[in-house]
Coordinates of all heavy atoms in Angstrom, one line a residue:
V1127 N 0.8 -1.2 0.0 CA 0.0 0.0 0.0 C 0.9 1.2 0.0 O 1.8 1.3 0.8 CB -0.9 0.0 1.2 CG1 -1.5 1.4 1.4 CG2 -2.1 -1.0 1.0
L1128 N 0.6 2.2 -0.9 CA 1.2 3.5 -0.9 C 0.3 4.5 -0.2 O -0.8 4.8 -0.8 CB 1.5 3.9 -2.4 CG 2.2 2.9 -3.2 CD1 2.3 3.3 -4.7 CD2 3.6 2.7 -2.7
S1129 N 0.6 4.8 1.0 CA -0.4 5.5 1.9 C 0.1 6.9 2.2 O 1.3 7.1 2.5 CB -0.6 4.7 3.1 OG -1.4 5.4 4.0
G1130 N -0.8 7.9 2.3 CA -0.5 9.2 2.9 C -0.6 9.1 4.4 O -1.1 8.2 5.0
Y1131 N 0.0 10.2 5.0 CA 0.0 10.2 6.5 C -1.4 10.2 7.1 O -1.6 9.6 8.1 CB 0.8 11.4 7.0 CG 2.3 11.3 6.8 CD1 3.0 12.0 5.8 CD2 3.0 10.4 7.6 CE1 4.4 11.8 5.6 CE2 4.4 10.3 7.5 CZ 5.1 11.0 6.5 OH 6.4 10.9 6.3
A1132 N -2.3 10.8 6.4 CA -3.7 10.9 6.9 C -4.3 9.5 6.9 O -5.3 9.3 7.6 CB -4.5 11.9 6.1
E1133 N -3.8 8.6 6.1 CA -4.4 7.2 6.0 C -3.6 6.2 6.8 O -3.8 5.0 6.6 CB -4.4 6.8 4.5 CG -5.1 7.8 3.6 CD -4.7 7.5 2.1 OE1 -3.6 7.7 1.8 OE2 -5.6 7.0 1.4
L1134 N -2.7 6.7 7.6 CA -1.8 5.8 8.3 C -2.5 4.7 9.1 O -2.2 3.5 9.1 CB -0.8 6.6 9.1 CG 0.4 5.8 9.6 CD1 1.2 5.2 8.5 CD2 1.3 6.8 10.4
Q1135 N -3.5 5.1 9.8 CA -4.2 4.2 10.7 C -5.0 3.1 9.9 O -5.0 2.0 10.2 CB -5.2 5.0 11.6 CG -5.9 4.1 12.6 CD -4.9 3.4 13.5 OE1 -4.0 4.0 14.1 NE2 -5.0 2.0 13.7
A1136 N -5.6 3.6 8.8 CA -6.3 2.6 7.9 C -5.3 1.6 7.4 O -5.6 0.4 7.3 CB -7.0 3.3 6.8
A1137 N -4.1 2.1 7.0 CA -3.1 1.2 6.4 C -2.6 0.2 7.5 O -2.4 -1.0 7.2 CB -1.9 2.0 5.9
L1138 N -2.4 0.7 8.7 CA -2.0 -0.2 9.8 C -3.1 -1.3 10.1 O -2.8 -2.4 10.4 CB -1.7 0.6 11.1 CG -0.4 1.4 11.1 CD1 -0.4 2.4 12.3 CD2 0.8 0.5 11.1
D1139 N -4.4 -0.9 10.1 CA -5.4 -1.8 10.3 C -5.4 -2.9 9.2 O -5.6 -4.1 9.5 CB -6.8 -1.1 10.2 CG -7.0 -0.2 11.4 OD1 -6.3 -0.4 12.4 OD2 -7.9 0.7 11.3
A1140 N -5.2 -2.5 8.0 CA -5.1 -3.5 6.9 C -3.9 -4.4 7.1 O -3.9 -5.6 6.8 CB -5.0 -2.8 5.5
L1141 N -2.8 -3.9 7.6 CA -1.6 -4.7 7.8 C -1.9 -5.7 8.9 O -1.5 -6.9 8.8 CB -0.4 -3.8 8.3 CG 0.9 -4.4 8.5 CD1 1.5 -5.0 7.2 CD2 1.9 -3.4 9.0
N1142 N -2.6 -5.3 10.0 CA -2.9 -6.2 11.1 C -3.9 -7.3 10.7 O -3.9 -8.4 11.3 CB -3.5 -5.4 12.3 CG -2.4 -4.5 12.9 OD1 -1.2 -4.8 12.9 ND2 -2.9 -3.4 13.5
R1143 N -4.7 -7.0 9.7 CA -5.6 -8.0 9.2 C -5.0 -9.0 8.2 O -5.6 -9.9 7.7 CB -6.8 -7.4 8.5 CG -7.8 -6.7 9.5 CD -9.1 -6.4 8.8 NE -8.9 -5.5 7.7 CZ -9.0 -4.1 7.7 NH1 -9.3 -3.5 8.9 NH2 -8.9 -3.4 6.6
G1144 N -3.7 -8.8 7.9 CA -3.0 -9.6 6.9 C -3.3 -9.3 5.5 O -3.0 -10.1 4.6
E1145 N -4.0 -8.2 5.2 CA -4.3 -7.8 3.8 C -3.1 -7.2 3.1 O -3.1 -7.1 1.9 CB -5.5 -6.9 3.8 CG -6.8 -7.5 4.4 CD -7.9 -6.4 4.6 OE1 -7.6 -5.2 4.4 OE2 -9.0 -6.9 5.0
V1146 N -2.2 -6.7 3.9 CA -1.1 -5.9 3.3 C 0.3 -6.5 3.8 O 0.4 -6.8 4.9 CB -1.2 -4.4 3.7 CG1 0.1 -3.6 3.2 CG2 -2.4 -3.8 3.1
Y1147 N 1.2 -6.6 2.8 CA 2.6 -7.0 3.2 C 3.4 -5.9 3.7 O 4.0 -6.0 4.8 CB 3.2 -7.6 1.9 CG 4.7 -7.9 2.0 CD1 5.2 -8.8 3.0 CD2 5.6 -7.2 1.2 CE1 6.5 -9.0 3.1 CE2 7.0 -7.5 1.3 CZ 7.4 -8.4 2.3 OH 8.8 -8.7 2.4
R1148 N 3.4 -4.8 3.1 CA 4.1 -3.6 3.5 C 3.3 -2.3 3.1 O 2.5 -2.4 2.2 CB 5.5 -3.5 2.9 CG 6.5 -4.5 3.2 CD 7.2 -4.2 4.5 NE 8.1 -5.4 4.9 CZ 9.3 -5.6 4.4 NH1 9.8 -4.8 3.5 NH2 10.0 -6.6 4.8
F1149 N 3.5 -1.2 3.8 CA 3.0 0.0 3.4 C 4.1 1.1 3.4 O 5.0 1.1 4.2 CB 1.8 0.5 4.2 CG 2.1 0.9 5.6 CD1 2.4 2.3 5.8 CD2 2.0 0.1 6.6 CE1 2.7 2.7 7.1 CE2 2.2 0.5 7.9 CZ 2.6 1.8 8.2
L1150 N 4.1 1.9 2.3 CA 5.0 3.0 2.2 C 4.3 4.3 2.2 O 3.2 4.4 1.6 CB 5.8 2.9 0.9 CG 6.5 1.5 0.6 CD1 7.1 1.5 -0.8 CD2 7.6 1.3 1.7
T1151 N 4.8 5.3 2.9 CA 4.2 6.6 3.0 C 4.6 7.4 1.8 O 5.7 7.3 1.3 CB 4.5 7.3 4.3 OG1 5.9 7.4 4.5 CG2 3.9 6.5 5.5
K1152 N 3.7 8.3 1.4 CA 4.0 9.2 0.3 C 4.5 10.5 0.8 O 4.0 11.0 1.8 CB 2.7 9.5 -0.5 CG 2.1 8.2 -1.2 CD 0.9 8.6 -2.1 CE -0.4 8.2 -1.4 NZ -1.6 8.4 -2.1
P1153 N 5.5 11.1 0.2 CA 6.3 10.6 -1.0 C 7.3 9.5 -0.6 O 7.9 9.7 0.5 CB 7.0 11.8 -1.5 CG 7.2 12.7 -0.3 CD 6.0 12.5 0.5
W1154 N 7.5 8.5 -1.4 CA 8.4 7.4 -1.0 C 9.7 7.6 -1.6 O 9.9 8.4 -2.6 CB 7.8 6.1 -1.4 CG 7.6 6.0 -2.9 CD1 8.6 5.6 -3.8 CD2 6.5 6.3 -3.7 NE1 8.1 5.7 -5.1 CE2 6.8 6.1 -5.0 CE3 5.2 6.7 -3.3 CZ2 5.9 6.3 -6.1 CZ3 4.3 6.9 -4.3 CH2 4.6 6.7 -5.7
D1155 N 10.7 6.9 -1.1 CA 12.0 6.9 -1.6 C 12.1 5.8 -2.7 O 11.7 4.6 -2.4 CB 13.1 6.6 -0.5 CG 14.5 6.5 -1.0 OD1 15.1 7.5 -1.3 OD2 14.9 5.3 -1.2

């Protein structure tokens, strides 16, 4: 998931549910 800071909690929730392998915040390196 490529996530903005405002979506950080939603991305973490998806990570905890096993839906996401990694998430990167925008802008990414």
